[in-house]
Structures are given as structure tokens and as C-alpha cells.
Amino acid sequence: MCVVNNNKIILDLLEEEEEEDQLLFSYLLPNKRKSTNILFKNREFEGFFEILINRHLLENETKFREFFRINYEQFNFILSLVEFELTKEPSNRVKNPISAAEKLAITLRYMATGESFRSLSFGFRVSHSYISIIIKQTLTVLKSKLVPIFMPNPNTIDFKTKAAEFSCKWNFPNCILAIDGKHIRIRSPSNSGSLFHNYKDFFSIVLLAMVDANYKFIVVDIGSYGKEGDSGIFLKSIMGKQVLDGSFCFPEDSVLPGSDIVVPHVIVGDEAFRLHNHIMKPYTRKASKNDITKKIFNYRLSRARRVTENAFGLLSQIFRVFYQPVNIETSTCDNLTWVACCLHNMLREGYLEKNHRTFYDYDKDQSTPVDNMLSLSRGGGFSNIEGFEVRELFKTYFNREGSIPWQF
């Protein structure tokens, strides 16, 4: 019996010694590189970029636009901005690296559809693990190049023109922008606890945006935790601090058309934001229930404020990546949202388009998602006395000199 036990102990010791030797050799010896799958070796001859894009889509402008959401001229313009940073020189290890055009194509297709990386890998013949690297790198470069062009510093914007557009299109004079926020659904980040868990019981980051009368994003704040409250997000954002301390570039106070009422220029929002002399929000449902004048003010404000809802709807309708939870790192998701807002502005401006269209008709039969971009929670925190006074002046104007036939 003792001999058997001794033999077992000896065998166990030998096995442990062998495992230690194998572990040591694994650290000392160079790792053997796995052979590339034949599926990916034929990328240059069988992938989307060569077969579908170069041979077919380049000859069909409509299909090219449906595939990438931008036209060929816009694609080349964006490529010219990022080509230097995305180009990798051939080496002994990688003789035919993926070109900058292919990287941009993969990223735009991901934004347009929200396909999984494994699905994209079968089409573009690039491994899904490397696609994640490509998209992360490309979005970082795109953000640095596109933001200065399509979302410039607000100090360079003529807000008097913006106010004239709101007055002409939405019948709300002295309004320069509308503000709103949306929760963008994401997959639960690892080790994040409840930071990204919002009041609707899913994980999200927050897109807070100021939008002009033409549905363009003028100022955005991206990446706040989903658990944060509406007022807190606005107050801690750069845009919120500038609006509340008066450093935002508001035009000087002016007279409302057809009257002698002088009011400051304002930003319109919903109940999620605090009332301020430069921020207008509707009267509460209780206050306006039996007061027709307050109901009319709420209608006029909501009519102007809906440009934010339209902008978010257009953004998600074009870039279908927002139709499902975004399954990438939160920092990359922030860059994705920045790039999507810039491309949205480019499309709204009709930049490098032969026949500019105001609205886009991709898959009109498919309804907009109702559970991936949700509004912020209601309740706007503190208000100041100047805000009440300015709102009363607008209410008086909308019920007298500034009334319109269909508001009653």
C-alpha cells in the first residue's frame, strides 16, 4: 500500500515538473503565428471592396449612396482627409495591408447598418478582431478631421441668421437653437457597475445636442453616464455652463416682430431643462390645464422644439447602428456618435451633392426605433425669476401681436 502511494506521489511530482517546463518554454520560445484563414487570404479578389464596390457600386450612384449613406464625391472627400493617418506601408510580414479606402468603407458600412463585426468579416474578408481595431482607429481619425469642418466653434456662427430661420420656419422669433438629449443604448461595459444604467432600466450614454431650424447639430455633449439626471448633465456640460453664466454667444436683446416687446434671444427645450432668461421651457400641465394662453405658448414652443426630435430621428434613420445596442467600447461609441453627427450635418448641407435632398428616403417602410434613443427624464431643477418674466413676455406676444391662425 505504501509503495502504491509513493508511486502516485512521484507521478504527480513528475507531471507538475513537466507542466512547469512547458510553461517556461512557452515564455522563452517565440510564439508561432497561426496561419491565415484562406477566407481572408482572398480578400483582394473576393472581398466586398473589390467585387461589389469597385466593380458595381462605382458605376451606380444610387446604390453607392444606399450602401454607404454618402455619395462617391463625399466618400472621396472624407478619404482625402484621413488617408494619410490610415495608410499602412507594406512590410515583410504584411505585404498587402488593408488600404485607407477599405478601412473607411468598413467603418461607414458599420455605421449604416450596425452589422456585427463577424458579419462584416465575411463580406470584407477581414477578421472580426481586426475589424474592431479598424473601426476604433478610423472613428478616432474621422472625429479629429470632421468636427472642425462640420461642427465649428459656436463663436464663428451668426446666430442672428439662426434666429431668422426659426422665426420664418417655426414661428418662434428670437429663438436661436433648440436643445434636447437622448439616451443611446449600449451593451453593458465591463466593470462599470451602475454608471451607465438609466431610469429606463438599460445601459446608455447621453447625447445632449443643440439643433438649429434646419435640423443641424450646432453644439453637442456626448458621453455622459446614463444614470445621470437631466439637469445634472446639462449643468456639468460646457454648453450648459456657458449658457447659464452668460458667456455663450447670444445676440443682443431685440424687439419681437410687430410689437414693442423686447426680449433676449433664447434656446427652447422641454421639461427636462431649467427655466432661465435664455432657456424657455413649457408651462407645466397643471398650470396650463385651464389657461388657454399658456396652452398656446406651450404649442408654439413645442412646434419650435420638435426640430430636435426630427434631427435625432434623421440621425438614426440614416445611421442604423443606433437601431440596436451599440456593442463597442464606450470611448469608441462616443467617437461614433461624434462622427455620425458630423456626417448628418454634411448631408443636411448637401455638401458635394449634385441634387440636394432635404429628407432621405432609405427604407421608408421601416419604422424608427422607439427603444434605442429615449428622451431624458423630465423635471428641470431650479428656475430663476428672469426666466419667468421672459416666458410671460413670450406668452403675451404669442396671444396678441404674434398669434397665428392655426394655434387656436
Side-chain angles (χ1 to χ4, degrees):
M1 188 71 177
C2 293
V3 174
V4 173
N5 288 336
N6 289 337
N7 289 338
K8 184 178 180 182
I9 293 173
I10 293 172
L11 288 173
D12 290 341
L13 292 173
L14 290 174
E15 287 180 0
E16 290 180 6
E17 186 177 354
E18 184 178 357
E19 289 177 358
E20 290 177 357
D21 290 341
Q22 290 177 354
L23 183 62
L24 178 62
F25 285 132
S26 67
Y27 282 110
L28 295 178
L29 296 177
N31 293 328
K32 292 184 179 179
R33 188 183 178 193
K34 293 182 179 180
S35 59
T36 304
N37 193 296
I38 189 66
L39 181 73
F40 305 133
K41 286 183 177 180
N42 294 333
R43 169 179 56 85
E44 298 177 35
F45 312 105
E46 300 176 357
F48 265 2
F49 195 77
E50 176 61 29
I51 299 298
L52 180 61
I53 299 174
N54 286 341
R55 299 188 187 180
H56 297 284
L57 296 185
L58 292 182
E59 301 174 357
N60 191 322
E61 183 177 352
T62 301
K63 294 301 180 184
F64 186 95
R65 175 109 185 216
E66 290 178 359
F67 191 81
F68 287 121
R69 300 301 193 251
I70 60 177
N71 63 31
Y72 185 59
E73 288 75 17
Q74 292 167 338
F75 182 93
N76 282 336
F77 167 72
I78 296 173
L79 179 61
S80 68
L81 297 176
V82 302
E83 187 169 17
F84 178 78
E85 286 83 355
L86 297 181
T87 298
K88 185 176 181 180
E89 296 297 328
S91 63
N92 292 332
R93 188 172 181 179
V94 182
K95 299 186 183 298
N96 297 304
I98 299 174
S99 66
E102 288 179 85
K103 293 178 180 179
L104 180 59
I106 291 172
T107 304
L108 290 177
R109 184 59 182 169
Y110 169 69
M111 295 178 64
T113 63
E115 288 184 62
S116 67
F117 293 165
R118 289 188 181 273
S119 175
L120 291 170
S121 71
F122 287 110
F124 285 94
R125 302 299 176 91
V126 180
S127 68
H128 69 276
S129 58
Y130 193 55
I131 283 181
S132 66
I133 298 174
I134 288 174
I135 289 178
K136 181 178 182 179
Q137 177 190 15
T138 306
L139 287 174
T140 301
V141 177
L142 282 172
K143 177 189 172 184
S144 66
K145 300 295 183 180
L146 294 180
V147 169
I149 299 174
F150 297 107
M151 209 173 294
N153 191 311
N155 293 325
T156 65
I157 298 174
D158 182 6
F159 281 109
K160 288 186 177 180
T161 302
K162 298 295 182 185
E165 291 173 349
F166 261 104
S167 180
C168 178
K169 294 184 176 183
W170 305 108
N171 304 107
F172 201 111
N174 282 32
C175 173
I176 59 172
L177 297 170
I179 187 171
D180 201 0
K182 290 293 182 182
H183 287 281
I184 297 177
R185 186 188 290 262
I186 61 174
R187 291 293 180 92
S188 173
S190 58
N191 303 319
S192 64
S194 61
L195 287 175
F196 295 93
H197 195 261
N198 62 38
Y199 75 106
K200 286 291 187 178
D201 201 27
F202 65 84
F203 294 88
S204 66
I205 62 170
V206 175
L207 163 60
L208 188 65
M210 291 184 182
V211 181
D212 70 4
N214 298 311
Y215 312 137
K216 286 176 55 182
F217 295 104
I218 303 302
V219 185
V220 298
D221 181 85
I222 299 169
S224 295
Y225 296 128
K227 76 162 191 175
E228 296 185 76
D230 39 28
S231 296
I233 294 173
F234 179 69
L235 291 175
K236 79 166 191 176
S237 67
I238 295 177
M239 70 170 79
K241 293 176 181 178
Q242 291 179 344
V243 169
L244 297 178
D245 66 15
S247 61
F248 195 81
C249 39
F250 287 100
E252 59 185 12
D253 298 0
S254 63
V255 178
L256 294 174
S259 73
D260 56 356
I261 301 176
V262 179
V263 295
H265 286 78
V266 299
I267 298 170
V268 295
D270 59 16
E271 300 92 338
F273 301 95
R274 62 187 301 178
L275 186 64
H276 186 265
N277 59 318
H278 286 299
I279 302 176
M280 289 293 100
K281 59 183 286 186
Y283 290 95
T284 63
R285 185 176 301 180
K286 181 179 180 180
S288 62
K289 184 176 181 180
N290 298 316
D291 191 333
I292 186 63
T293 61
K294 293 180 179 179
K295 284 184 179 180
I296 289 174
F297 172 85
N298 284 358
Y299 166 74
R300 296 288 292 273
L301 183 139
S302 297
R303 190 169 183 272
R305 190 193 61 79
R306 71 180 181 185
V307 296
T308 57
E309 299 293 342
N310 294 343
F312 291 132
L314 287 170
L315 182 71
S316 59
Q317 186 74 0
I318 301 303
F319 301 109
R320 299 296 178 88
V321 67
F322 298 116
Y323 265 50
Q324 61 271 320
V326 183
N327 190 18
I328 53 180
E329 295 179 1
T330 52
S331 59
T332 307
C333 186
D334 293 347
N335 291 340
L336 168 72
T337 310
W338 273 102
V339 172
C341 290
C342 290
L343 294 179
H344 168 89
N345 284 357
M346 182 182 72
L347 295 174
R348 293 303 306 166
E349 293 175 3
Y351 193 79
L352 295 177
E353 289 197 51
K354 296 177 183 177
N355 299 311
H356 175 47
R357 293 179 293 172
T358 303
F359 295 94
Y360 302 99
D361 54 2
Y362 302 117
D363 302 330
K364 281 185 176 179
D365 57 331
Q366 185 169 347
S367 59
T368 302
V370 296
D371 58 351
N372 287 314
M373 273 199 173
L374 295 181
S375 299
L376 301 178
S377 58
R378 297 294 181 253
F382 301 102
S383 302
N384 61 12
I385 189 64
E386 292 86 358
F388 286 102
E389 294 173 352
V390 172
R391 187 167 65 176
E392 286 296 316
L393 291 174
F394 272 109
K395 184 195 74 172
T396 302
Y397 174 75
F398 289 147
N399 283 275
R400 289 174 16 193
E401 300 94 333
S403 64
I404 50 180
W406 58 85
Q407 71 183 23
F408 299 100

